[in-house]
Amino acid sequence: MYQYHKWLRSFHAVARTGSFTLAAEYLCVGQPTVSEQVSSLEKQFSVELFHRRGRFIELSAAGRELYAITQGLFGQESEAVQLLQSFKQRKAGMLRLGAVSPPIAMSLTYQLMQRYPDIELETSFNTEGETLERLYNFDIDVAILALSEFDQRLNTQLYRSYPIIAVVRDDHPWASQEQVRVEEISGQRLVLRERASRTRQLVEEECHRRGLELDCAMQLNSREAIVHAIAQGIGIGFVSTVEYAQTPGTRPITFVDHPFHIDYYLCCLGIRRNRPMINELFDSNAQPDAPPP
């Protein structure tokens, strides 16, 4: 079994890094060792785990199934090492939080700092896809995401729900109004996030449902860049209320009856839901009337 563990460790490192060279660096061994151990695993069980095309590799169907298992196997091994390191550093524990939205993540981070003053906290920000990958790889413990699909590997719980508002330049005709009707979006030049943005998806879905055509004048992959584009008069944009920061030259505008809402979810791997700190975090932030996802 010790031999299998070494072979599986090399396989997992290659699958995770996408490269035999990077896997060798990750494991602090020579590349020939990694290649030999992966080959031994394939020969022992008569299975092809990687498709090799010159210098490029990709997981085979069998490799993807095995990687789903080794993510848990070596992820929990890494978790055990982190626990031992926290004992050495005389810390009460460690919690790593990942998110796509700094404002909502920092609110939870502050809450955790108040509740657990002796633990080490790490907060990181990435795209939804990158954050999910870090969650699956055990690189973070909990994520806050505005999910559109729910993976069976995850345990999810509604964390917060916010209206989505418009942001306009302060000389825009809407700037003098308390609220605007959603139908008034038609004919407006829009500055939108990339198509993977959940905020954009929710706005487009509701407008499509109402038969409203949208005019995307510019697409940007940064919330800050969108606000600057709005200040330059390129168009209007959309953010959730929690994400809007007062910016000179811009104004937040709410819609009548709040037609757009975005839900943020606490997410963790299902196999880690009962870890004491994760369990307490979920229980303390439970929404009593939240419907299941």
Side-chain angles (χ1 to χ4, degrees):
M1 289 303 294
Y2 175 67
Q3 186 66 53
Y4 290 157
H5 182 273
K6 291 196 298 182
W7 293 351
L8 288 167
R9 183 185 63 170
S10 288
F11 160 79
H12 177 76
V14 176
R16 179 175 181 176
T17 62
S19 162
F20 282 88
T21 301
L22 293 177
E25 294 176 2
Y26 175 73
L27 295 173
C28 299
V29 299
Q31 182 178 333
T33 299
V34 174
S35 298
E36 179 183 347
Q37 290 179 349
V38 172
S39 295
S40 296
L41 189 63
E42 292 179 313
K43 290 176 183 176
Q44 178 70 22
F45 296 99
S46 301
V47 64
E48 183 181 25
L49 298 172
F50 295 100
H51 297 309
R52 297 161 174 84
R53 297 183 177 87
R55 298 174 59 186
F56 300 98
I57 63 170
E58 64 178 2
L59 284 166
S60 66
R64 287 194 296 272
E65 288 188 45
L66 182 59
Y67 184 48
I69 295 173
T70 61
Q71 279 181 308
L73 176 66
F74 292 102
Q76 293 187 71
E77 182 179 274
S78 176
E79 184 181 8
V81 172
Q82 290 163 11
L83 176 64
L84 292 169
Q85 288 174 337
S86 72
F87 293 148
K88 180 180 179 180
Q89 297 166 0
R90 301 185 184 279
K91 292 280 187 179
M94 180 178 186
L95 189 71
R96 300 160 301 169
L97 175 66
V100 295
S101 170
I104 196 166
M106 294 314 298
S107 174
L108 182 57
T109 299
Y110 178 74
Q111 173 189 328
L112 291 169
M113 290 175 64
Q114 299 299 109
R115 180 172 298 164
Y116 309 108
D118 295 325
I119 71 168
E120 182 178 351
L121 284 170
E122 287 186 6
T123 305
S124 58
F125 305 101
N126 298 96
T127 65
E128 179 176 307
E130 292 168 338
T131 301
L132 283 171
E133 188 64 26
R134 299 193 73 209
L135 200 59
Y136 297 141
N137 286 335
F138 286 72
D139 291 330
I140 56 175
D141 305 303
V142 177
I144 307 177
L145 296 169
L147 295 173
S148 55
E149 298 180 356
F150 296 86
D151 192 305
Q152 62 181 3
R153 290 173 288 178
L154 298 179
N155 188 287
T156 60
Q157 175 179 294
L158 181 64
Y159 176 61
R160 297 286 188 275
S161 182
Y162 295 98
I164 295 173
I165 60 173
V167 181
V168 303
R169 197 161 87 161
D170 57 9
D171 61 355
H172 189 278
W174 289 3
S176 61
Q177 302 180 49
E178 292 294 326
Q179 290 185 321
V180 298
R181 293 178 297 105
V182 68
E183 288 76 14
E184 295 180 58
I185 292 175
S186 289
Q188 296 291 329
R189 290 170 57 82
L190 308 178
V191 182
L192 300 176
R193 289 287 299 274
E194 67 279 8
R195 292 191 180 278
S197 162
R198 187 61 181 145
T199 301
R200 174 174 177 170
Q201 291 171 359
L202 290 166
V203 170
E204 289 183 330
E205 288 169 6
E206 180 61 21
C207 287
H208 178 73
R209 189 183 71 82
R210 295 172 181 246
L212 304 177
E213 293 189 8
L214 302 182
D215 176 14
C216 180
M218 181 176 289
Q219 176 176 295
L220 297 167
N221 65 352
S222 160
R223 192 176 296 106
E224 293 74 19
I226 284 180
V227 173
H228 286 294
I230 293 168
Q232 292 298 317
I234 295 174
I236 70 171
F238 304 94
V239 297
S240 65
T241 53
V242 71
E243 293 176 323
Y244 177 72
Q246 188 67 46
T247 303
T250 69
R251 285 224 26 213
I253 303 296
T254 60
F255 291 100
V256 175
D257 296 329
H258 301 293
F260 312 119
H261 282 82
I262 185 166
D263 294 331
Y264 291 95
Y265 293 87
L266 281 177
C267 311
C268 72
L269 289 174
I271 59 175
R272 303 187 67 201
R273 175 63 173 82
N274 291 324
R275 294 290 191 270
M277 196 174 299
I278 295 176
N279 186 58
E280 187 173 342
L281 174 62
F282 271 67
D283 287 349
S284 64
N285 285 282
Q287 303 293 316
D289 300 319

